[in-house]
Amino acid sequence: MTTTSTSTPTVLSTIAATRELVRAARAEGRRVALVPTMGALHEGHLALVARGRELADLVVVSIFVNPLQFGPNEDFERYPRTLDADLAALAGRADAVFAPSVAEMYPAGASQTTVHAGAVGERYEGAARPGHFDGMLTVVSKLFNIVQPDVALFGQKDAQQAFLVKQMVADLNLPLAIEAVPIVREADGLALSSRNRYLSQGERVLALTLSAALGDAEEESVRGVPAARAAGLARFDQQPDVRLDYLVIVDPATFLPLEDDATGDGLMLVAARVGATRLIDNAPIHF
Ligand code: PAF
């Protein structure tokens, strides 16, 4: 696991060329890591790529804004597409970028066969964005089949996504390992997200409510689950310009809400709207 790219990654737009690149690498006994992204890369993505580099010899980053995981009133059209900047950011970090067109991924216009995320996929983000996780898992399983990586890296920032991908891999016996990489934050606590670029200066300040709520809850965790939840909610009560969607403390092993008298590991999830931008964040919390 010593190969280090020093130049711009090879850009592949077809499934056939990607398969060929991976086949050649495997023939040389190289391990393959996949970092699935929708582009608009930031330091959080680069942390996934760096972890992929530690775990494998060939690091493939996919960049594809997947229409299947956006609802009709969501930001598919305006989602940032910054391929040139993404390639520059990946220079010296990734070996190859798979950046297919929508027609390459969905030649029939959509996918007749889809992956269903199950009951947990209908909670939290899934309740706010019906069909989102089915679309996400469908494209992720296509990417796994195209690249056939030994390991795939996902950001812990999308904690429910990482949970559901791991569940799919276990349920369908997919032959790869999944690793969730810790959230990367700005110095003031804001979790990095491609959607942060939608925020005005004022909205960016308001967006700190999410990480502050997580911090407040953590401070109250010695008093138990209801006190921690109440502390997190209080932050949003003080900031009516931030519209809370959900705040929940789940069991990280099941993603079901923690009982009020629970002890042990929890994970607090929060989603809120700041202006037109929907943001999510999460943090572990121990009781
Ligand atoms: O997290 C994302 O950027 C997307 O949901 C993913 C995993 C690349 C699938 O489109």
Side-chain angles (χ1 to χ4, degrees):
M1 291 170 216
T2 50
T3 314
T4 306
S5 328
T6 52
S7 55
T8 307
T10 306
V11 183
L12 306 154
S13 58
T14 67
I15 294 167
T18 304
R19 286 210 162 117
E20 179 49 31
L21 178 108
V22 173
R23 192 204 56 73
R26 281 201 182 290
E28 293 170 1
R30 302 170 79 196
R31 275 175 61 82
V32 180
L34 171 66
V35 179
T37 82
M38 299 202 301
L41 302 183
H42 50 65
E43 289 296 327
H45 295 111
L46 299 183
L48 304 182
V49 175
R51 183 65 184 139
R53 172 68 59 207
E54 287 171 3
L55 297 173
D57 311 289
L58 182 85
V59 179
V60 181
V61 176
S62 64
I63 297 182
F64 180 62
V65 185
N66 172 35
L68 221 59
Q69 69 187 74
F70 287 79
N73 298 318
E74 294 187 15
D75 56 346
F76 174 69
E77 296 298 344
R78 80 170 182 135
Y79 197 86
R81 289 158 173 86
T82 59
L83 187 59
D84 290 344
D86 292 346
L87 295 178
L90 291 171
R93 294 184 158 102
D95 300 292
V97 169
F98 175 49
S101 63
V102 172
E104 179 74 3
M105 290 298 275
Y106 301 114
S111 213
Q112 293 300 313
T113 307
T114 58
V115 179
H116 179 50
V120 170
E122 278 155 31
R123 289 173 177 263
Y124 327 125
E125 280 306 282
R129 307 181 64 189
H132 166 69
F133 285 126
D134 291 1
M136 180 280 292
L137 289 181
T138 300
V139 85
V140 165
S141 49
K142 284 166 74 76
L143 292 167
F144 287 173
N145 286 327
I146 292 163
V147 178
Q148 302 195 355
D150 297 285
V151 59
L153 295 300
F154 291 82
Q156 179 61 19
K157 160 100 167 5
D158 295 295
Q160 193 179 2
Q161 167 171 282
F163 174 87
L164 291 170
V165 169
K166 284 182 186 166
Q167 177 178 267
M168 174 180 76
V169 164
D171 284 349
L172 302 183
N173 306 100
L174 303 184
L176 79 162
I178 302 298
E179 194 163 309
V181 175
I183 298 177
V184 179
R185 296 181 182 277
E186 306 268 15
D188 59 8
L190 184 68
L192 295 193
S193 163
S194 302
R195 289 188 168 97
N196 288 353
R197 65 185 73 198
Y198 297 152
L199 299 170
S200 68
Q201 256 184 338
E203 288 172 342
R204 198 197 164 290
V205 174
L206 291 173
L208 293 173
T209 308
L210 282 81
S211 52
L214 296 172
D216 290 354
E218 167 63 29
E219 277 179 26
E220 283 298 305
S221 60
V222 283
R223 291 182 220 283
V225 174
R229 197 168 41 229
L233 288 170
R235 268 283 169 176
F236 289 92
D237 290 343
Q238 292 156 21
Q239 200 50 269
D241 289 339
V242 180
R243 296 185 313 286
L244 180 65
D245 184 348
Y246 60 82
L247 181 153
V248 62
I249 302 172
V250 301
D251 178 342
T254 61
F255 255 70
L256 298 177
L258 266 192
E259 301 290 337
D260 283 356
D261 60 353
T263 55
D265 287 337
L267 182 69
M268 183 158 145
L269 311 174
V270 61
R273 207 171 274 277
V274 180
T277 306
R278 196 159 175 288
L279 298 171
I280 59 173
D281 201 349
N282 68 85
I285 183 163
H286 191 79
F287 296 99

